Amino acid sequence: MDEVGRTGAAQADDAPARAVRIQDVARLAEVSTATVSRALATPERVSVEARARVLEAIARTGYVPNPAARSLRSQKTYMVLVVLPDLSNTFFSKILRGIEETLFEAGYGMIISDLDGSPEKEAHFAAFTAAGRVDGAILLNGHLFGQSRDGKGSAAKLNIPLVALCEAIPDADIPQIEIDNRAAARRMTQHLAQLGHRSIAYVSGPAQNVLERERFRGYRDGLRASALPFDPDLVVSGDYTLESGVRAGEDLLARAKRPTAVFCTSDEMAIGLVRTLSSAGVRVPEDISVAGFDDIEFAAVAQPALTTIHQPRRELGQTAATVLIDLLQGRTTPKRIRLKTDLITRNSVSSPR
Amino acid sequence: MDEVGRTGAAQADDAPARAVRIQDVARLAEVSTATVSRALATPERVSVEARARVLEAIARTGYVPNPAARSLRSQKTYMVLVVLPDLSNTFFSKILRGIEETLFEAGYGMIISDLDGSPEKEAHFAAFTAAGRVDGAILLNGHLFGQSRDGKGSAAKLNIPLVALCEAIPDADIPQIEIDNRAAARRMTQHLAQLGHRSIAYVSGPAQNVLERERFRGYRDGLRASALPFDPDLVVSGDYTLESGVRAGEDLLARAKRPTAVFCTSDEMAIGLVRTLSSAGVRVPEDISVAGFDDIEFAAVAQPALTTIHQPRRELGQTAATVLIDLLQGRTTPKRIRLKTDLITRNSVSSPR
DNA sequence: ATGAAAGCGCTAACAC
DNA sequence: GTGTTAGCGCTTTCAT
């Protein structure tokens, strides 16, 4: 088909133009179909002139290999599945972009599965994957197919390369791409302590969450490194949502003795908390400093702009895709990659009065 | 394979378990492969008992049809391409979710292509599409493959159903799913006028943009309906980005005579503008009211919370997917669907002093 | 209602 | 270095 994505392509008629097949190219180039195939897949195994003729014929016909036929024969799909818990969560969009661009460059397509908390969807995609519709998968959902989030249940055996991204999957023997949550939390805690805060509250994520466990350890590390005692009363439970940040704010407001700084383990919670404090006349950072985690888009725009931990989201996606492609192509890969985070200082944190 | 997505599946050995084929099912059910195929695709053409035996055999073996083989034979892929200009733009995530869930229910997968402003990527996906790798496509990028954004250039003939979502594609003879941008802009303008504003500025999108043209017409409609004169000086040019909102704010601040209200045609611009005004000591909404458009996540969380136009993003995605599926299955569809928007009143707009 | 058999377009094994 | 050929797993005539 010569109408493929070119402007001004000469198209003889408007008939639905049966697709060009490898045979057509072979005939035009006066070689066999095998040579055409090889010219594309293993150019070095084809004579220079044959290759030139094939390429010429391809250019003239606009030939594009039929992926279904190729896939059926070679048992490869050149498709990667990206599994994520919630597509509408904006945290994932930059990560997806990193994944997509890397896969694209390597000639792979990306299929997205939004699990949406639905076991049926998960079963479907598990079957989809098992049926060989994709060559590999990137898991952003913190568990394997067939497993519950806490690692219970026997994971489906998929026989394809898998990579865990962001949320590590503890017992799975697959590469893990993540940030160093513990180190980042420690760093933020120390940052607050160095500014002079002695009473630093911690707003947690969900109790069983892998990220939460690491960040909490980092918080305690930071306190210890700053010679501050750990006070369980200063731990407020949250679940990363804005609403839980609002509740944490109300909790803090109800206290007689308030901390001078609050480390929220997500930006959304930090934003909810700041709102609640501000509405009650408590100024941020003058009265209480508030720090977040993630550096989502809005962190920089919030009032006050949020001091937070920046996650290299695009790079996380790129790295996961790169590792998966390495796996797909038989290369060895590291078992775990931790990307660096940055502490971004903005206006929601200052020294205590 | 009985290990597919089930917990506690009994798996005899760890051998890479060659996939179950239709032959295996046929043998077990004691029917031909044709009957198995029919039992799945056209159950009414198979006797009740044969169907039962086939279903039983499928359940026992965990058979899942090989999509490449099916696709090669039937010339269908059960895949839909979603083309968007920028995956990392959070505006798209909820739309994608709506698309994905609807496609999923109908048995279609979704491939995302992030054009990223790259002509090569676009050419690639055009070829990809032309090569029959997808059955249809949803275009969120405002133009056809091979066309420039303003409709110039000959569009690639793809011979597959296409649907335009959000940004209408003027000359293309394909269904358009969008909001009524003009009516929404008119409504917001009238809302501001009704509160008593006589001097309402307008921060535009990019000049050639389809959305911008409609919204601008709505703005003028609203002025006219409120018996307010149109003043070109009150039109400030922007491009939907936060930065352009900041610039618009600086523009306004530099004026001797300021409007009492500003209608920004994107929330991002509104947020940037509010920041700039606030930093300069101009209070929103006490000194100047600011309205946005889109109702992105942060509109509700911004300080002050943004009065804006809510777009039903998930529903937009669902509708586009539904229309595409109708097309794919030979049903007729409306040429254009306009979904209702809502005016959300929050705190960034009030009556002028 | 069911089965036999052709064949979708490609790649890989084998022969030369 | 190149051609011939089998066959990936399925759906779909065409028979019966």
Side-chain angles (χ1 to χ4, degrees):
Chain A
M1 302 196 279
D2 53 15
E3 72 268 47
V4 175
R6 301 276 175 264
T7 52
Q11 167 77 346
D13 59 340
D14 275 351
R18 198 180 189 307
V20 177
R21 298 181 312 274
I22 198 168
Q23 280 237 24
D24 305 320
V25 176
R27 203 176 307 122
L28 191 61
E30 299 180 292
V31 295
S32 71
T33 60
T35 297
V36 176
S37 181
R38 283 191 282 253
L40 256 24
T42 51
E44 70 280 6
R45 293 199 186 174
V46 167
S47 68
V48 183
E49 58 175 36
R51 183 159 73 238
R53 286 218 307 284
V54 168
L55 261 27
E56 156 77 8
I58 288 175
R60 286 178 45 166
T61 54
Y63 169 71
V64 180
N66 179 314
R70 171 197 293 226
S71 173
L72 179 59
R73 175 67 233 225
S74 67
Q75 309 285 24
K76 287 189 183 128
T77 64
Y78 292 96
M79 278 290 165
V80 165
L81 184 70
V82 178
V83 181
L84 66 178
D86 178 8
L87 185 48
S88 69
N89 182 331
T90 56
F91 180 75
F92 295 115
S93 47
K94 272 226 172 59
I95 291 178
L96 284 178
R97 183 176 192 148
I99 294 174
E100 202 270 346
E101 66 188 27
T102 305
L103 289 180
F104 175 83
E105 274 167 32
Y108 286 83
M110 170 176 81
I111 297 176
I112 290 184
S113 85
D114 174 359
L115 292 189
D116 196 16
S118 150
E120 296 116 59
K121 280 194 121 169
E122 179 156 350
H124 172 89
F125 280 110
F128 183 95
T129 305
R133 196 141 182 183
V134 292
D135 293 344
I138 296 176
L139 307 175
L140 277 145
N141 56 328
H143 64 277
L144 300 175
F145 283 136
Q147 259 190 343
S148 62
R149 209 176 181 76
D150 52 11
K152 296 289 188 304
S154 72
K157 294 199 190 65
L158 291 175
N159 302 318
I160 60 165
L162 259 26
V163 170
L165 178 55
C166 288
E167 279 197 49
I169 303 179
D171 300 326
D173 184 28
I174 64 178
Q176 317 272 342
I177 317 300
E178 57 189 341
I179 58 162
D180 193 335
N181 285 286
R182 184 175 180 175
R186 173 190 165 128
R187 189 161 163 211
M188 180 61 86
T189 307
Q190 285 188 274
H191 173 67
L192 294 169
Q194 274 158 17
L195 285 171
H197 294 279
R198 304 271 75 116
S199 173
I200 303 169
Y202 174 91
V203 183
S204 76
Q208 297 92 341
N209 189 286
V210 186
L211 306 176
E212 161 56 19
R213 284 204 290 259
E214 288 293 300
R215 290 176 194 176
F216 182 63
R217 288 165 73 191
Y219 167 64
R220 299 200 58 170
D221 290 347
L223 291 179
R224 198 175 311 118
S226 310
L228 291 176
F230 168 66
D231 176 357
D233 282 348
L234 288 177
V235 175
V236 183
S237 84
D239 59 10
Y240 296 141
T241 66
L242 192 129
E243 292 70 31
S244 73
V246 168
R247 285 194 298 275
E250 289 161 354
D251 179 329
L252 257 31
L253 285 173
R255 298 181 182 205
K257 188 157 169 275
R258 294 178 193 150
T260 61
V262 185
F263 174 22
C264 297
T265 52
S266 83
D267 284 348
E268 287 204 33
M269 293 197 295
I271 289 166
L273 189 132
V274 168
R275 286 211 92 181
T276 307
L277 295 182
S278 302
S279 305
V282 177
R283 291 164 306 160
V284 176
E286 291 82 355
D287 301 324
I288 296 187
S289 286
V290 177
F293 202 112
D294 287 343
D295 196 26
I296 61 176
E297 254 78 25
F298 195 64
V301 184
Q303 300 275 32
L306 220 54
T307 287
T308 189
I309 296 290
H310 177 78
Q311 297 209 42
R313 296 193 269 161
R314 187 159 174 176
E315 196 187 339
L316 281 164
Q318 291 170 329
T319 306
T322 302
V323 167
L324 185 62
I325 291 164
D326 284 346
L327 243 33
L328 254 20
Q329 304 185 343
R331 272 166 255 137
T332 57
T333 61
K335 272 286 153 232
R336 154 173 272 158
I337 297 179
R338 288 186 195 265
L339 298 187
K340 286 243 173 61
T341 55
D342 281 314
L343 191 141
I344 310 287
T345 55
R346 298 203 182 93
N347 308 322
S348 65
V349 165
S350 68
S351 294
R353 274 184 306 189
Chain B
M1 301 193 282
D2 53 14
E3 73 270 45
V4 175
R6 302 276 174 262
T7 52
Q11 166 77 345
D13 60 338
D14 275 352
R18 200 180 188 308
V20 177
R21 298 178 315 269
I22 198 169
Q23 278 238 27
D24 304 320
V25 176
R27 203 177 306 123
L28 191 60
E30 298 180 292
V31 294
S32 71
T33 59
T35 298
V36 176
S37 180
R38 281 191 282 253
L40 256 25
T42 52
E44 69 281 6
R45 291 197 188 174
V46 166
S47 69
V48 183
E49 58 175 36
R51 184 160 71 242
R53 287 217 307 283
V54 168
L55 261 27
E56 157 76 8
I58 288 175
R60 286 178 44 167
T61 54
Y63 169 70
V64 180
N66 178 313
R70 172 196 294 225
S71 174
L72 178 58
R73 175 66 232 227
S74 66
Q75 309 284 24
K76 287 189 183 128
T77 63
Y78 292 96
M79 278 289 164
V80 164
L81 184 70
V82 179
V83 182
L84 65 179
D86 178 8
L87 185 48
S88 68
N89 182 331
T90 57
F91 180 74
F92 294 115
S93 48
K94 273 225 172 56
I95 291 178
L96 283 178
R97 183 176 192 147
I99 294 173
E100 202 271 346
E101 66 189 26
T102 304
L103 290 179
F104 176 83
E105 275 167 33
Y108 285 83
M110 170 176 81
I111 296 176
I112 291 183
S113 85
D114 175 0
L115 292 189
D116 196 16
S118 151
E120 297 116 60
K121 280 193 120 168
E122 179 156 350
H124 172 90
F125 281 110
F128 184 95
T129 305
R133 195 142 184 184
V134 293
D135 294 343
I138 296 175
L139 307 175
L140 277 145
N141 56 326
H143 63 277
L144 300 175
F145 283 135
Q147 260 190 342
S148 62
R149 208 175 183 80
D150 52 12
K152 296 290 188 305
S154 71
K157 294 199 191 65
L158 290 176
N159 302 318
I160 59 166
L162 258 27
V163 171
L165 177 54
C166 288
E167 278 198 50
I169 303 179
D171 300 326
D173 184 28
I174 64 178
Q176 317 272 342
I177 317 298
E178 57 188 342
I179 58 163
D180 192 336
N181 285 286
R182 182 173 181 175
R186 173 188 166 130
R187 190 160 162 214
M188 180 61 87
T189 307
Q190 285 189 274
H191 172 68
L192 294 169
Q194 274 157 19
L195 285 171
H197 293 280
R198 305 272 74 115
S199 174
I200 303 170
Y202 174 91
V203 183
S204 76
Q208 295 93 340
N209 189 286
V210 187
L211 306 175
E212 161 55 21
R213 283 204 290 257
E214 287 294 300
R215 290 176 193 175
F216 183 63
R217 288 166 73 191
Y219 166 65
R220 299 202 56 169
D221 291 347
L223 291 179
R224 198 175 312 116
S226 311
L228 291 176
F230 168 66
D231 177 357
D233 281 349
L234 288 177
V235 175
V236 183
S237 83
D239 59 10
Y240 295 142
T241 65
L242 193 129
E243 293 69 33
S244 74
V246 168
R247 284 194 298 275
E250 289 161 354
D251 180 328
L252 257 30
L253 285 173
R255 298 180 182 205
K257 189 158 169 273
R258 293 177 195 153
T260 61
V262 184
F263 174 22
C264 297
T265 52
S266 83
D267 284 349
E268 287 203 35
M269 293 196 297
I271 289 169
L273 189 131
V274 168
R275 287 210 91 181
T276 307
L277 296 183
S278 302
S279 304
V282 176
R283 291 164 306 160
V284 176
E286 291 82 356
D287 301 325
I288 296 187
S289 287
V290 177
F293 201 113
D294 288 343
D295 195 27
I296 61 175
E297 255 76 28
F298 298 127
V301 184
Q303 298 276 34
L306 219 55
T307 287
T308 190
I309 298 289
H310 176 78
Q311 296 209 43
R313 296 193 270 161
R314 187 160 174 174
E315 196 186 340
L316 281 163
Q318 292 170 330
T319 305
T322 301
V323 168
L324 185 61
I325 291 164
D326 283 346
L327 243 33
L328 254 20
Q329 304 185 343
R331 273 167 254 140
T332 58
T333 62
K335 272 286 151 234
R336 154 172 271 158
I337 297 181
R338 286 187 195 266
L339 297 186
K340 286 243 173 64
T341 54
D342 281 314
L343 177 81
I344 310 287
T345 55
R346 298 204 183 92
N347 309 320
S348 64
V349 166
S350 67
S351 293
R353 273 181 309 189

